[in-house]
Amino acid sequence: MEKLHAIDREYRHLERTIAALQWDQETYLPPEGVEERAEQLALLEGIAHRRLTEPETGKLLAEAGSSAENPRGDASLPALERDFLRVMRRRYDRAVKLPPDFVTASARAEGLSQAAWAAARQNNDFAAFLPHLRTMIGIARAKAEYWGFGSGSSTRYDGLLDIYEPGMGEAEIGVLFAVLRNRLAALLKKIQGCTPPDTSFLKQSFPIEQQAAFNQKLMDYIGFNRRRGRLDTSAHPFTITLGSDDIRITTRYFPHNLLSGLFSVIHESGHALYEMGFPPELRGACLADGASMAIHESQSRFWENVIGRSRPFWDGLFPLLQNFFPEQFAGVSAGHWYRAVNEVKPSLIRVDADEVSYSLHVILRFELEQQLIAGALEPEELPAAWREKTKEYLGIEIDASSPRSDADGVLQDIHWSMGSFGYFPSYVLGNLYGLQFTRKLRQDIPAFDNLIAAGNFGQIHTWLKDTIYRWGCRLEPAELLQKVTGEPLRVEPFLEYIEGKYGELYH
Ligand code: ZN
């Protein structure tokens, strides 16, 4: 066991060194440094992969009684060690099935693809990204095949989904999403027949330095420990862990859009709080990780939406925001602000979407991914398919000849450029998990709303730590949900929250 822990620690150090270079690539790397950085990352990914897949790892796992059928190993071991074995076994089996040359080549292609995507997005040039996209789809399909998906009843896409959400396949997700799509589309239609809130005061200039200064205060306010993390800017907001005490988040700023930068900071802080909250006994080990991407999203979206877009939160914080922007918010009340930041208005950009239309953005991507990975849609057909679904689900017509048609459409997200097919559903599954957790949290802490209004998050942090963070990835997502709420995954708590909140907002 000691030898296995040593391998795990070394692998983790390599992972985090890679993360440091990736973080740098997305924040400060000068454009011409990209190609050599891709080489550096490919080299390190190769070394990390070899370290994990050495025959010694397999031998040690077997000696501890861990196998594909019995990943948790010898029943006489302590529970913590058995959970460690389960996670190591999963990682090892995943990694050992990928040939080292394939891993190195994929990492190199990924670096180049990301750089090409960033340029293509800037220039609204899908054609420039197309060859990279084709490569990334090929890599994703090959990966699933190496893992043994795509034969029998499982699909290649199931194999990709399983990376992010263990135990959840496209059929199961499809059932949940079909219910969501219908109920949310119906609600959206109703809302569009109502009087929209006054948002005129948001259409002003908000100097970027002021936005950045407010966001530092905001991070302190919700309990982000800036001695263990930091905030920078990047094209696409993200959270990345460079060490147990070094969790970094990014946002982006637009001078005429205050909400984008601000809510990204709350969202990414939610991810960071989870990463910062793993207990000491998991520190530095593979168990100090989120239970899944969707569970991670349940945490970020809990802070962003359930807390960050609630009335009590802004009753407490709006006066501070007003101090930062006294002219822009002269005569604006917390109530005006609350209604404005919850305006339901379908738009093109997923990360800026309201809570009602957000899931529709994700369902659109899920359906396109299914087709791309199955080979039912060719990559060059993607922009047209994107426009068609955008019209169908969000009611927005994209003019193919407009100067940002693809930049604000099919090129808006980084995921496909990194080969992260199967990731998008996590956002919506995260909403579902999050609202099921919230329901339990409200039962356990009846003063929830009052605490939020008072800016007093101590009890909420403690609850999250004791109930969710403490497990790291010791439990599978479904086990964690069962343990916390006693239920399987359901759409109702999320839909009740959405229909309740927006029913009230729109009378
Ligand atoms: Zn997120």
Side-chain angles (χ1 to χ4, degrees):
M1 290 304 296
E2 261 171 43
K3 283 183 188 163
L4 274 175
H5 281 292
I7 291 170
D8 177 39
R9 269 194 302 275
E10 206 173 291
Y11 181 73
R12 174 135 287 215
H13 283 318
L14 284 165
E15 266 190 328
R16 273 144 188 206
T17 309
I18 290 167
L21 291 177
Q22 285 169 335
W23 171 84
D24 176 69
Q25 175 172 309
E26 299 304 318
T27 51
Y28 295 106
L29 185 73
E32 296 198 1
V34 163
E35 295 218 7
E36 197 172 338
R37 178 57 49 85
E39 296 291 329
Q40 296 163 349
L41 284 168
L43 173 69
L44 285 171
E45 302 265 9
I47 292 172
H49 183 254
R50 275 200 297 282
R51 186 69 189 106
L52 186 64
T53 55
E54 269 168 27
E56 191 199 1
T57 314
K59 208 178 116 232
L60 292 167
L61 280 168
E63 278 171 15
S66 169
S67 61
E69 297 71 40
N70 177 34
R72 296 179 78 238
D74 197 326
S76 67
L77 288 166
L80 187 62
E81 294 289 53
R82 300 199 71 203
D83 295 339
F84 168 73
L85 286 173
R86 180 181 67 78
V87 173
M88 282 297 278
R89 165 59 66 187
R90 180 177 149 91
R91 277 190 168 196
Y92 175 76
D93 282 351
R94 278 281 159 126
V96 84
K97 288 180 183 168
L98 302 180
D101 290 351
F102 174 80
V103 173
T104 312
S106 305
R108 191 178 298 122
E110 202 182 297
L112 295 175
S113 168
Q114 268 188 58
W117 163 77
R121 179 168 177 262
Q122 194 144 30
N123 304 326
N124 193 50
D125 187 359
F126 179 78
F129 176 57
L130 181 60
H132 296 275
L133 177 63
R134 201 173 277 130
T135 305
M136 297 322 288
I137 294 170
I139 289 173
R141 288 170 57 100
K143 236 185 223 177
E145 276 160 32
Y146 282 127
W147 289 328
F149 289 91
S151 57
S153 61
S154 76
T155 64
R156 289 184 187 85
Y157 191 47
D158 283 338
L160 301 173
L161 289 164
D162 190 67
I163 305 172
Y164 308 104
E165 205 52 27
M168 188 91 75
E170 64 179 306
E172 194 182 341
I173 293 174
V175 170
L176 296 169
F177 281 12
V179 178
L180 281 177
R181 196 181 49 211
N182 294 338
R183 290 266 290 272
L184 292 172
L187 179 62
L188 197 56
K189 206 165 244 165
K190 269 193 201 165
I191 289 175
Q192 284 173 316
C194 299
T195 316
D198 174 20
T199 58
S200 56
F201 58 90
L202 292 175
K203 290 164 192 135
Q204 301 185 66
S205 170
F206 298 92
I208 286 173
E209 308 74 58
Q210 282 296 96
Q211 293 193 37
F214 175 76
N215 283 340
Q216 298 288 346
K217 294 271 183 224
L218 173 62
M219 287 159 74
D220 292 342
Y221 186 77
I222 60 178
F224 183 109
N225 180 353
R226 285 197 282 132
R227 292 179 57 80
R228 297 178 64 202
R230 53 176 289 134
L231 169 66
D232 293 273
T233 57
S234 62
H236 198 288
F238 65 90
T239 301
I240 194 162
T241 299
L242 273 57
S244 310
D245 297 308
D246 183 1
I247 292 103
R248 305 195 185 186
I249 65 171
T250 67
T251 190
R252 56 181 170 187
Y253 292 115
F254 304 101
H256 295 281
N257 181 349
L258 174 65
L259 304 188
S260 175
L262 188 158
F263 282 101
S264 290
V265 166
I266 308 182
H267 178 97
E268 302 304 333
S269 292
H271 283 301
L273 289 167
Y274 190 13
E275 290 284 316
M276 288 173 175
F278 299 131
E281 69 267 24
L282 306 186
R283 202 182 156 91
C286 59
L287 292 175
D289 207 345
S292 69
M293 280 304 148
I295 299 290
H296 234 300
E297 278 302 311
S298 77
Q299 298 309 300
S300 55
R301 306 186 70 72
F302 169 75
W303 283 97
E304 179 192 355
N305 294 327
V306 176
I307 292 184
R309 287 184 210 271
S310 73
R311 178 68 199 254
F313 184 74
W314 289 107
D315 281 340
L317 189 59
F318 188 69
L320 183 72
L321 183 66
Q322 216 163 14
N323 283 344
F324 275 77
F325 302 101
E327 282 167 30
Q328 292 90 331
F329 294 145
V332 176
S333 70
H336 285 135
W337 165 263
Y338 167 66
R339 283 189 292 278
V341 303
N342 285 295
E343 183 192 24
V344 176
K345 190 179 180 187
S347 71
L348 292 173
I349 308 295
R350 174 184 62 85
V351 295
D352 295 335
D354 60 78
E355 286 183 275
V356 178
S357 55
Y358 185 89
S359 300
L360 297 169
H361 285 265
V362 169
I363 293 168
L364 173 159
R365 287 156 177 75
F366 166 73
E367 292 173 357
L368 292 176
E369 280 188 345
Q370 277 186 301
Q371 295 178 29
L372 283 171
I373 300 301
L377 182 72
E378 291 303 320
E380 59 267 31
E381 298 169 327
L382 194 55
W386 184 282
R387 288 193 290 271
E388 204 172 295
K389 279 200 189 286
T390 301
K391 189 173 175 215
E392 190 186 339
Y393 294 169
L394 297 165
I396 304 176
E397 190 113 33
I398 303 176
D399 176 0
S401 62
S402 88
R404 294 197 55 83
S405 55
D406 290 334
D408 288 342
V410 69
L411 291 173
Q412 67 181 272
D413 292 308
I414 195 171
H415 306 60
W416 292 341
S417 78
M418 303 162 64
S420 299
F421 298 92
Y423 188 120
F424 281 120
S426 309
Y427 295 119
V428 167
L429 297 173
N431 278 336
L432 305 186
Y433 284 119
L435 268 300
Q436 273 178 274
F437 290 145
T438 303
R439 192 181 269 201
K440 178 72 169 84
L441 193 160
R442 280 183 175 279
Q443 282 166 10
D444 292 350
I445 308 180
F448 184 66
D449 288 329
N450 295 333
L451 292 169
I452 293 172
N456 181 354
F457 301 103
Q459 273 190 59
I460 297 166
H461 286 302
T462 303
W463 189 92
L464 292 170
K465 249 185 206 165
D466 292 350
T467 313
I468 295 169
Y469 304 168
R470 66 177 283 209
W471 294 105
C473 60
R474 291 183 65 182
L475 302 172
E476 297 240 350
E479 294 171 331
L480 178 64
L481 184 67
Q482 191 71 38
K483 194 163 266 251
V484 177
T485 67
E487 295 175 344
L489 192 60
R490 304 194 296 129
V491 292
E492 268 323 304
F494 171 70
L495 284 170
E496 273 171 26
Y497 157 79
I498 287 285
E499 288 167 351
K501 177 175 174 180
Y502 291 91
E504 194 182 297
L505 271 162
Y506 281 86
H507 310 294

